[in-house]
Amino acid sequence: MDDKRAVSVSKFLSMVLRHKPETIGVVLDEGGWLDVDVLIAACAGRGRRFSRADLDHVVATNNKQRFAFSADGRRIRASQGHSVAVELGLTPAAPPDVLYHGTAAATVPLILREGLKPMGRQQVHLSADRETAVRVGSRHGRPAVLEVAAAALAGAGHTFWVSANGVWLTDAVPPERLRIAVD
């Protein structure tokens, strides 16, 4: 599978496994899981053909590790980022003192007024390092990085989780726990 096709399959899987499973006529279980054979057949039925080997390649080589197989390899799900209701079954985790959020520079004034909200997703996504946040923010235009006082939020009762691919999740971040990251 060449890189261009792998990216195309990955983007399609993100749409199906995170946002719109109905586009291929499937329903995710409560944990966001879908039987691999059902996924492959449903995608083929909508003209998006790929093999189990292709799927294995996409999961193994996705630079953001967006997807995970179940322990037995029979099911697949997105690691985080769902707009459809799923319960990932993650255990609450103590965050580091600071986490980061990458965004477009144009959104910073609004975020500093209103805080971080999940928007169309189930939780706010945070990065453990500034470099990742810069990459995330770059997807939306000129990037800006916000520092999140994560340990202080956790101490105030906010819950944090870390997904299988290392993305930190929380329900919201109030503006008083944010500041613009500087070099």
Side-chain angles (χ1 to χ4, degrees):
M1 172 178 266
D2 66 34
D3 289 346
K4 184 177 178 181
R5 185 151 192 284
V7 168
S8 175
V9 170
S10 178
K11 287 182 177 186
F12 186 73
L13 290 176
S14 286
M15 190 242 334
V16 168
L17 296 175
R18 295 166 95 183
H19 309 296
K20 297 181 179 179
E22 69 276 5
T23 60
I24 62 166
V26 299
V27 175
L28 306 176
D29 76 7
E30 65 279 351
W33 295 104
L34 182 61
D35 183 88
V36 169
D37 294 333
V38 170
L39 172 68
I40 291 169
C43 287
R46 299 298 194 277
R48 301 288 289 208
R49 297 186 192 294
F50 53 86
S51 68
R52 173 61 194 246
D54 292 336
L55 184 61
D56 289 345
H57 175 79
V58 167
V59 171
T61 62
N62 182 272
N63 64 339
K64 296 178 182 151
Q65 296 296 296
R66 284 195 168 119
F67 314 106
F69 287 117
S70 60
D72 63 8
R74 294 182 184 164
R75 298 178 301 150
I76 188 171
R77 74 175 178 187
S79 295
Q80 93 293 319
H82 298 83
S83 58
V84 296
V86 297
E87 175 50 59
L88 295 175
L90 301 174
T91 303
D97 288 344
V98 176
L99 289 169
Y100 301 90
H101 182 77
T103 190
T107 65
V108 170
L110 178 64
I111 292 170
L112 291 176
R113 274 195 314 275
E114 297 184 6
L116 289 170
K117 302 173 186 176
M119 307 306 284
R121 296 184 176 175
Q122 289 189 298
Q123 286 100 16
V124 170
H125 292 197
L126 304 170
S127 303
D129 61 87
R130 182 177 157 74
E131 295 75 27
T132 301
V134 168
R135 282 194 304 277
V136 170
S138 295
R139 294 190 319 226
H140 308 289
R142 188 170 58 89
V145 175
L146 298 169
E147 290 183 0
V148 175
L153 272 172
H158 288 250
T159 304
F160 286 80
W161 303 268
V162 63
S163 68
N165 61 345
V167 175
W168 284 87
L169 308 168
T170 193
D171 292 331
V173 178
E176 62 271 12
R177 298 296 185 183
L178 294 168
R179 72 178 194 171
I180 298 172
V182 293
D183 291 327

